[in-house]
Amino acid sequence: MSAERWVIKIGSALLTNDGRGLDRELMQVWVDRMVALRAAGIEPIVVSSGAVAEGMTRLGWSRRPESVHEQQAAAAVGQMGLVQAWETCFRKHGLHTAQVLLTHDDLSDRKRYLNARSTLLTLLGFAVVPVVNENDTVVTDEIRFGDNDTLAALVANLVEADRLVILTDQEGLFNADPRQNPDAELIREARASDPAIAAMAGGGGSGLGRGGMATKVRAAGLAARSGAMTTIASGRRPEVLAELCDGRAPGTTLMPDTSPMNARKQWLAGHLRMRGRLVLDAGAARRLREAGSSLLPVGVVDVFGQFSRGEMVACEDEQGVRVACGLVNYDAADARRLCRKKSHEIADVLGFMNEEELIHRDNLVVLDRG
Ligand SMILES: Nc1ncnc2c1ncn2[C@@H]1O[C@H](COP(=O)(O)OP(=O)(O)O)[C@@H](O)[C@H]1O
Ligand SMILES: N[C@@H](CCC(=O)OP(=O)(O)O)C(=O)O
């Protein structure tokens, strides 16, 4: 059975008990629920905010500093506490966590995108729970806008998550900010692409979290690009995870327009320029066309063009008919050396191995004949 993958984002206000220090008890409750998700075949990836807030507590600051450098310093201090706390909670269940610090730029650079994707998928393969946060030391804009909602959506795109769960301090998205308007009503379900919902979402209200609902709704739109459904729900009710797992819909559900794989393939097919060509033998061409299999080096007879790892290349049969296109795991020079080689020979030929496929089937779009 192939596991479902959920990216679960937890905001600062919630994690740090509104700035009173990490709420370890509540973290343990979420972790217990996430472990129950795993038992139900759902792989959680945690996107955890709270580094700046926890750093401020550790440094004895009561107000978020204006200076970005001081916020970065606080994040570096607080990240220590954050990862220690997550690791301690998961260790009680015999599970390891892994700290993954990313920036938005990492995910818009194709090579780093593939590297981040491989690392995250490898961690999941080892049953490790990735705990992701923004790499605040090296970014300035994101720390100013506090945008882990966007980061969580980009991670959902990266790992083709089925669902993005944004846990916050409200029951979900209301038709107006409930802090300002006590009569505001909860939106139960909408399309992520509906412009009306963006208009309802205001900025942050807690003083600790920064993005408010506006970044959450935008994140739902980004997550929808790779087909993920978004739930915005209250992290004060850890049972929301169990409810979601049971097929109920707590909080606000924001639906994508397409399924995860179709959305990813549309994105792959439409957005990247071809940098080179791989010529496949008849067997490999048939496997791609008929089974949508990954492309292994053994089925490649020739390589044309100059490309880097992560770039888009065309796959053609020996008659020059284009079979597929996809993101290649090795650069042109390495791909040439791997022609006709078995996957177990890659490390011997190159002295290292990224992946056993030249192009993984998730990164491959097979073209219609005709
Ligand atoms: N339409 C809305 N529905 C719900 N909350 C809203 C809305 N507009 C603005 N908000 C504010 O967004 C806040 C949550 O965002 P934020 O403080 O950034 O939390 P987090 O730390 O979880 O990211 C809420 O406490 C609320 O005041
Ligand atoms: N990387 C920052 C994230 C800040 C942020 O996005 O906060 P939030 O709006 O509470 O999710 C931190 O860990 O403090």
Side-chain angles (χ1 to χ4, degrees):
M1 182 192 75
S2 83
E4 266 199 35
R5 233 167 252 157
W6 292 7
V7 173
I8 301 174
K9 185 261 173 179
I10 305 182
S12 311
L14 205 58
L15 258 177
T16 63
N17 218 339
D18 263 325
R20 286 187 287 274
L22 288 175
D23 190 339
R24 290 186 165 75
E25 270 176 42
L26 192 56
M27 287 172 84
Q28 186 67 60
V29 176
W30 287 321
V31 166
D32 297 348
R33 303 301 164 106
M34 287 190 232
V35 171
L37 287 186
R38 291 176 56 85
I42 296 165
E43 291 174 329
I45 295 174
V46 182
V47 175
S48 170
S49 304
V52 174
E54 170 62 4
M56 284 165 52
T57 309
R58 291 189 166 205
L59 293 166
W61 301 346
S62 54
R63 281 190 39 242
R64 191 177 173 107
E66 290 292 320
S67 136
V68 171
H69 300 305
E70 284 173 2
Q71 292 178 30
Q72 289 174 309
V77 172
Q79 183 65 23
M80 299 292 290
L82 211 55
V83 290
Q84 273 165 1
W86 285 117
E87 172 74 8
T88 306
C89 293
F90 277 102
R91 282 307 293 155
K92 295 208 167 115
H93 296 276
L95 288 168
H96 279 296
T97 54
Q99 172 179 249
V100 178
L101 297 177
L102 294 171
T103 66
H104 297 191
D105 286 349
D106 292 332
L107 303 179
S108 55
D109 174 286
R110 275 193 293 271
K111 191 164 151 196
R112 283 194 265 163
Y113 170 96
L114 267 193
N115 291 341
R117 177 181 153 83
S118 300
T119 306
L120 280 169
L121 297 184
T122 306
L123 288 168
L124 293 175
F126 287 133
V128 172
V129 182
V131 178
V132 182
N133 196 358
E134 191 89 50
N135 192 356
D136 290 315
T137 313
V138 296
V139 293
T140 49
D141 286 354
E142 290 88 341
I143 203 167
R144 241 182 297 141
F145 303 119
D147 207 358
N148 265 9
D149 297 319
T150 304
L151 181 69
L154 296 175
V155 171
N157 293 152
L158 189 70
V159 299
E160 282 128 38
D162 301 274
R163 196 187 278 271
L164 169 63
V165 183
I166 301 182
L167 295 178
T168 183
D169 58 353
Q170 302 290 337
E171 285 294 327
L173 172 71
F174 287 76
N175 59 1
D177 185 348
R179 286 187 197 245
Q180 320 284 343
N181 183 345
D183 298 327
E185 284 168 26
L186 182 66
I187 310 290
R188 308 253 22 145
E189 189 180 318
R191 301 216 76 78
S193 56
D194 182 351
I197 59 160
M200 294 170 190
S206 63
L208 279 169
R210 315 229 81 203
M213 280 297 149
T215 50
K216 293 174 184 36
V217 167
R218 207 173 320 126
L222 289 174
R225 287 189 315 192
S226 57
M229 165 195 308
T230 296
T231 295
I232 304 173
S234 169
R236 305 241 177 259
R237 289 199 321 111
E239 59 273 24
V240 294
L241 293 181
E243 290 170 6
L244 285 170
C245 188
D246 291 345
R248 280 175 281 162
T252 303
T253 309
L254 298 175
M255 305 291 295
D257 294 318
T258 46
S259 71
M261 198 43 85
N262 286 342
R264 178 170 170 76
K265 297 222 158 173
Q266 274 169 23
W267 175 77
L268 275 176
H271 282 78
L272 300 167
R273 277 179 46 203
M274 287 323 147
R275 300 288 176 173
R277 286 185 297 130
L278 310 181
V279 180
L280 318 190
D281 67 17
R286 195 170 51 247
R287 295 276 303 151
L288 261 61
R289 280 193 180 114
E290 291 173 6
S293 307
S294 296
L295 177 65
L296 302 177
V298 70
V300 176
V301 294
D302 217 343
V303 172
F304 295 94
Q306 285 309 322
F307 48 85
S308 307
R309 168 172 158 79
E311 290 194 312
M312 187 72 134
V313 295
C315 304
E316 297 175 355
D317 65 17
E318 286 177 290
Q319 288 68 48
V321 177
R322 194 168 285 186
V323 176
C325 56
L327 300 180
V328 66
N329 283 333
Y330 293 86
D331 68 23
D334 290 343
R336 272 184 199 105
R337 295 171 66 194
L338 291 178
C339 283
R340 291 252 165 251
K341 295 287 186 296
K342 300 240 165 60
S343 296
H344 68 80
E345 296 173 299
I346 295 177
D348 282 344
V349 174
L350 300 181
F352 70 96
M353 181 169 103
N354 287 335
E355 285 86 11
E356 61 184 30
E357 316 84 15
L358 261 188
I359 304 180
H360 190 274
R361 63 174 186 279
D362 290 351
N363 294 327
L364 195 69
V365 184
V366 179
L367 305 171
D368 289 335
R369 290 175 111 166

